[in-house]
Amino acid sequence: MSGLEAVQPTFFSPDPYILILTGAGLLIALVAWLPLALRRLPLSLPIVCIGIGAAIFSLPAVTLRPLPLDFPDIAERFTEFVVIIALMGAGLKLDRPFSWRKWGVTWRLLGITMPLGILAITAMGGWLLGLSWVAALLLAASLAPTDPVLASDVQVGPPKSGEEDEVRFGLTSEAGLNDGFAFPFVHLAIALGLSATTGEPWAKQWLLYNVLWEIAAGVIGGWLIGRLFGWLTFHVPADTKLSKTGDGLIAISATFVSYGVTELIHCYGFLAVFVTALTLRRSHREHEFNRQMHDITEQVERLAMMVLLLLFGGALVSGLMRPLQWMDVAAAVAILLIIRPLGGMIALAGFKASTSEKMTLAFFGIRGVGSFYYLAYGLNHMELAGGERLWAIVGLVALLSILLHGLTVTPVMRRLDRTQGRDPDAADATPPPGLQGPASA
């Protein structure tokens, strides 16, 4: 081979590193552009991401098959990362101060809708789908909570944007808190599974440790860390307060510290992160730096979400749904169209809101990344037969939720805005999530 031939470019064998850089650049561009392009269309960013992922992983040159059971640790950790970022963003969004009375819609959805969902899905899994009761409970615990990642289109707007009607507030606060309160039921499934093989008692350990300790320590730990970061950010004397930097990355720091410290003491990090976000926001509710922290958090969240949904699209075309049975499909439809809406309407009986608002709150119980995490966590912490079928059912519910809610969210929320006197087409209307950044000011 001559020297000239050795340096000739190889057009048909590009460097994978260059391909990754190019793909990352396109992905970041899509994060910024797609929400604007889809603003008036009955489509959502997750639908587009799944379609792109399915197309990429259908190419003959792409041999990777991103099935969660083939990469169990990655599936658990990556979904965990996306959820904690989303929880920080959700907590920073909320303008409404925390109180038992003002958060009445949240307590109804948490205390009535979610337990009813867990009971109904467990019963359906055990009696209709023929799953073991442990598998049915794990399925229910994975699918009962709503998702803070994929629900941004039905959540409140950025801090101080004025987009905090009862519907958006209820769905945002529910998604922020139910990820922590669903974890005891995942641990209950794990405890029952381990007890079935070892014969050891489980009730006392589960109640005292997984319920009382992990919830209480998560709330207290999240509050203390939020107080610390609030003091460092807004109240340190002189010019050393972190808000002076204008760098919203401090919210990412608070996320990692809150989750890491509370997990080290074995309590619910998801709950702690959301409480940290609420406490940090409460430290100086009107400060403009809250917007900067929210914006950088949301950008990181959306980028991570797009990567995850590309992989989910790849899993779909790689055979994730292959173990499904026809009853599984019927159950998935029932979870989205019967169990969640009916549980939501029961919880909201007597609540002071219009029927359309109640129906919207009950209908938009979006399932997605949080369900992926809980199932991955449960399967990674116990031996359970039939994991492929559980992944197929959860994947189908998430896919149907993304399609159903993604196609209806734009017209439903636009109609809601108009009934409440807001014009979604106004020139000064808040842009869709993902467009604002530190430079937007």
Side-chain angles (χ1 to χ4, degrees):
M1 178 183 296
S2 67
L4 181 61
E5 292 173 337
V7 298
Q8 288 297 315
T10 307
F11 291 104
F12 297 101
S13 299
D15 186 343
Y17 172 72
I18 300 301
L19 287 178
I20 292 173
L21 284 182
T22 305
L26 292 173
L27 186 64
I28 294 170
L30 287 173
V31 169
W33 177 72
L34 271 178
L36 180 62
L38 300 174
R39 184 177 183 179
R40 294 182 176 87
L41 298 178
L43 284 174
S44 66
L45 182 60
I47 295 176
V48 177
C49 293
I50 292 173
I52 294 173
I56 291 174
F57 285 93
S58 296
L59 297 173
V62 180
T63 58
L64 175 67
R65 295 293 172 256
L67 294 170
L69 282 178
D70 293 341
F71 305 94
D73 293 331
I74 295 176
E76 178 184 341
R77 292 307 183 188
F78 189 31
T79 52
E80 177 184 50
F81 170 80
V82 180
V83 171
I84 63 173
I85 295 295
L87 290 172
M88 175 58 67
L92 290 173
K93 288 177 183 179
L94 293 173
D95 292 332
R96 186 178 304 189
F98 179 88
S99 77
W100 293 106
R101 184 179 61 83
K102 293 181 179 179
W103 285 50
V105 63
T106 312
W107 310 133
R108 288 170 175 261
L109 294 172
L110 286 177
I112 301 175
T113 302
M114 190 177 72
L116 287 177
I118 291 174
L119 286 173
I121 297 172
T122 301
M124 184 168 57
W127 286 326
L128 297 181
L129 304 184
L131 299 172
S132 69
W133 288 108
V134 171
L137 179 57
L138 178 60
L139 179 67
S142 300
L143 290 175
T146 57
D147 189 70
V149 181
L150 302 179
S152 60
D153 290 329
V154 295
Q155 291 183 358
V156 301
K160 299 173 62 178
S161 65
E163 293 186 2
E164 191 166 295
D165 52 72
E166 200 67 33
V167 171
R168 286 185 169 93
F169 171 80
L171 292 171
T172 305
S173 56
E174 179 198 14
L177 284 172
N178 66 13
D179 275 298
F181 286 108
F183 228 139
F185 297 97
V186 176
H187 278 129
L188 178 59
I190 296 172
L192 291 173
L194 295 177
S195 178
T197 57
T198 64
E200 296 182 0
W202 57 269
K204 182 178 180 181
Q205 168 79 7
W206 176 75
L207 180 61
L208 295 180
Y209 180 72
N210 296 123
V211 178
L212 298 179
W213 163 255
E214 296 204 62
I215 289 178
V219 171
I220 295 172
W223 179 78
L224 289 174
I225 294 169
R227 292 276 292 180
L228 173 62
F229 272 89
W231 181 73
L232 291 174
T233 303
F234 298 113
H235 302 297
V236 171
D239 294 330
T240 57
K241 61 183 67 175
L242 290 171
S243 60
K244 292 285 187 180
T245 68
D247 192 344
L249 278 173
I250 191 61
I252 304 298
S253 169
T255 304
F256 293 162
V257 171
S258 179
Y259 191 77
V261 170
T262 51
E263 285 290 320
L264 285 174
I265 62 173
H266 300 286
C267 58
Y268 294 130
F270 282 178
L271 186 58
V273 168
F274 188 67
V275 173
T276 294
L278 294 177
T279 309
L280 178 57
R281 177 69 197 277
R282 181 179 178 274
S283 296
H284 199 320
R285 190 170 299 280
E286 301 302 318
H287 201 289
E288 290 298 326
F289 190 60
N290 288 305
R291 180 64 176 262
Q292 293 169 299
M293 290 191 293
H294 163 268
D295 291 344
I296 193 67
T297 303
E298 190 166 59
Q299 288 175 338
V300 174
E301 172 198 339
R302 287 193 166 256
L303 185 58
M305 178 201 72
M306 289 188 71
V307 173
L308 190 147
L309 292 180
L310 291 177
L311 294 173
F312 179 49
L316 293 176
V317 298
S318 300
L320 181 68
M321 303 294 191
R322 196 172 293 127
L324 282 174
Q325 302 175 16
W326 71 270
M327 280 299 295
D328 300 339
V329 179
V333 173
I335 290 169
L336 295 175
L337 296 183
I338 299 176
I339 293 177
R340 163 66 190 200
L342 183 59
M345 293 303 291
I346 291 173
L348 296 171
F351 183 69
K352 293 183 178 180
S354 66
T355 302
S356 62
E357 288 176 316
K358 292 180 182 179
M359 292 178 64
T360 304
L361 279 162
F363 176 70
F364 282 107
I366 299 174
R367 268 62 175 174
V369 181
S371 297
F372 296 158
Y373 170 75
Y374 283 129
L375 182 57
Y377 180 92
L379 293 177
N380 287 349
H381 286 78
M382 66 175 166
E383 295 291 335
L384 185 65
E388 296 88 351
R389 188 181 176 197
L390 292 180
W391 267 113
I393 296 172
V394 170
L396 177 62
V397 172
L399 177 63
L400 292 178
S401 177
I402 291 169
L403 293 174
L404 173 66
H405 297 123
L407 291 173
T408 57
V409 63
T410 298
V412 169
M413 300 311 287
R414 285 167 66 85
R415 187 180 302 114
L416 176 68
D417 286 338
R418 289 193 176 97
T419 59
Q420 296 182 347
R422 293 190 298 268
D423 181 5
D425 298 318
D428 59 348
T430 302
L435 295 180
Q436 304 90 355
S440 63

